[in-house]
Amino acid sequence: MKISEMFRVKDYGVIVTGGASGIGLAYGEVLAENGARVTLMDLDRTRLNREVKRLKGLKLDVRGMVVDVTDRPAVHRAFDKTVKDYGRLDVVFANAGIDSGPGFRQMGPAGRNPEGAIENYADARWDKVIDTNLNSVFTTVKAAARHMKPRHSGRIVITTSLAAERIEGAIGAAYMAAKAGAAHFMRNAALELAKYNILVNAIAPGPFITNIGGGHAFDPNVQKFFAGLVPLGRMASTEEIKGLALFLASPASSYITGAQIVIDGGSGLGPAD
Ligand SMILES: NC(=O)c1ccc[n+]([C@@H]2O[C@H](COP(=O)([O-])OP(=O)(O)OC[C@H]3O[C@@H](n4cnc5c(N)ncnc54)[C@H](O)[C@@H]3O)[C@@H](O)[C@H]2O)c1
């Protein structure tokens, strides 16, 4: 197969949740840049409108829908409308997510952070993180499967995290649980849906510079902390996730399902020095 055919996603119908910012926006951009029709779903109307306007200005086939992924009926309605408009649904990125507040360990200096200790971790925070980062993945995959099964074809890509594989104590506990749950649910869905030619995989990023947690990744101290954990010595730009997203959405990855692909600058290997 020629390389141009391998990565061909022209005219694909694509949905990205959490598509107004960061990693989800990069997914949407790379698919649209390669000719797909992309619906970005997000809670943040202002950012969504701004990014859709910018991408439309580049003549990309992108539109936005304000959808809260924790609102199950709203997610199903938004999927139904998108499939009706496009007439097809080829790729879904279940990507929306939030941070989880502090973990039990300090972010900068060594030592514990009492705010992130289990006995102090707010129940409401736990519930919100599980709802947004795990329950929403179930809802999104359910809506995707409903539309993909009759066509006997589709790709589903879930954004998990390196946190699905190993604990980072400076990040709140609910995040670890949600991402590990999403990773295992991905494997379950991949096994179940293989029969219907629906491939389900996960992208597990290490530290990327995005707006998560109110944009603290733009803080040089936070960048220094995470850079220290990465053998490549830096946090990643969202541009660097585009290749993997296109790969998992395109014919190039036609024999990959149930895989969680880590993109972390080597962080999962442990410290280099
Ligand atoms: N940035 C990182 O270092 C990193 C690392 C590992 C995993 N991730 C994961 O990547 C995904 C994307 O995060 P990001 O870093 O790009 O953050 P981001 O904040 O830049 O983007 C997340 C988007 O999701 C949207 N969102 C949040 N809650 C929503 C809801 N209930 N309904 C609809 N949209 C909602 C936000 O409005 C935002 O536009 C998340 O699942 C996150 O956990 C990020």
Side-chain angles (χ1 to χ4, degrees), residues 15-216:
I15 289 174
V16 185
T17 71
S21 172
I23 290 169
L25 180 59
Y27 293 160
E29 271 178 4
V30 70
L31 270 288
E33 282 159 0
N34 285 279
R37 310 184 70 190
V38 178
T39 296
L40 304 175
M41 297 184 183
D42 206 287
L43 195 58
D44 185 337
R45 182 185 297 274
T46 309
R47 189 170 267 147
L48 187 62
N49 287 345
R50 190 179 65 222
E51 293 301 336
V52 168
K53 195 171 165 205
R54 180 179 66 81
L55 296 171
K56 279 189 168 156
L58 300 171
K59 303 272 179 277
L60 301 180
D61 191 342
V62 173
R63 67 178 192 176
M65 285 177 93
V66 177
V67 183
D68 178 347
V69 291
T70 66
D71 179 345
R72 289 184 164 136
V75 171
H76 286 287
R77 278 196 305 273
F79 268 66
D80 291 350
K81 174 156 180 27
T82 305
V83 176
K84 193 160 175 257
D85 293 348
Y86 289 164
R88 58 192 284 179
L89 180 62
D90 301 280
V91 186
V92 169
F93 290 95
N95 165 79
I98 54 172
D99 95 323
S100 53
F104 67 86
R105 210 157 60 76
Q106 295 280 5
M107 176 93 50
R112 298 277 176 136
N113 183 354
E115 201 190 331
I118 288 173
E119 67 275 24
N120 298 329
Y121 200 87
D123 293 345
R125 191 194 286 270
W126 177 276
D127 291 344
K128 187 166 184 204
V129 173
I130 298 296
D131 211 19
T132 310
N133 292 5
L134 177 58
N135 294 341
S136 80
V137 172
F138 161 66
T139 307
T140 306
V141 173
K142 182 175 183 174
R146 223 167 27 80
H147 289 289
M148 289 173 173
K149 269 173 92 166
R151 288 189 64 220
H152 222 80
S153 150
R155 301 291 179 96
I156 300 171
V157 180
I158 300 168
T159 309
T160 55
S161 170
L162 184 57
E165 296 204 340
R166 52 181 287 167
I167 304 302
E168 171 43 69
I171 295 173
Y175 195 85
M176 307 296 133
K179 293 300 186 179
H184 221 46
F185 173 62
M186 175 276 292
R187 296 180 188 103
N188 188 101
L191 187 58
E192 179 181 338
L193 297 175
K195 188 175 173 183
Y196 304 94
N197 194 31
I198 301 168
L199 280 52
V200 190
N201 292 291
I203 292 179
F208 275 68
I209 301 170
T210 70
N211 290 305
I212 200 163
H216 66 274

Side-chain angles (χ1 to χ4, degrees), residues 221-273:
N221 290 323
V222 172
Q223 288 190 10
K224 200 169 155 206
F225 170 75
F226 280 110
L229 303 175
V230 182
L232 286 184
R234 60 180 176 82
M235 293 182 77
S237 139
T238 54
E239 279 297 306
E240 297 180 276
I241 213 154
K242 286 184 168 181
L244 181 53
L246 181 61
F247 173 66
L248 287 176
S250 63
S253 60
S254 57
Y255 203 58
I256 300 180
T257 194
Q260 175 165 250
I261 302 185
V262 169
I263 172 164
D264 70 344
S267 323
L269 305 171
D273 298 298

